[in-house]
């Protein structure tokens, strides 16, 4: 049985690392929590570069 673990959908912008939770929103920032699959550290993530550039611009 697959564990129903979710991860903060905004952790890349708001936290230093993924924030996992069993509820429907992040306990730390209140953002929506999304199903943790696929893995948050997927090296094939097609949006990874986009998010990284966003993060740089926000700093
Ligand atoms: Zn969060």
């Amino acid at each position: 049985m697959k564990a129903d673990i979710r991860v903060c959908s905004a952790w890349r912008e708001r936290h230093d690392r993924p924030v996992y939770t069993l509820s429907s929103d992040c306990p730390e920032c209140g953002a929506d929590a999304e199903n943790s699959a696929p893995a948050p550290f997927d090296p094939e993530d097609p949006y990874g570069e986009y998010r990284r550039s966003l993060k740089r611009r926000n700093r």
Side-chain angles (χ1 to χ4, degrees):
M1 181 176 120
K2 190 178 186 308
D4 191 21
I5 291 190
R6 291 160 173 259
V7 62
C8 173
S9 62
W11 73 263
R12 295 169 189 83
E13 288 78 27
R14 303 187 184 187
H15 313 295
D16 291 334
R17 58 181 177 271
V19 176
Y20 294 98
T21 178
L22 292 176
S23 74
S24 59
D25 45 41
C26 176
E28 295 193 19
C29 73
D32 286 343
E34 58 190 10
N35 195 296
S36 59
F41 290 120
D42 183 357
E44 306 285 336
D45 185 352
Y47 299 110
E49 187 55 40
Y50 174 69
R51 275 196 306 264
R52 279 189 291 273
S53 65
L54 269 185
K55 191 164 188 169
R56 273 194 299 271
R57 206 181 314 151
N58 287 339
R59 279 192 176 170

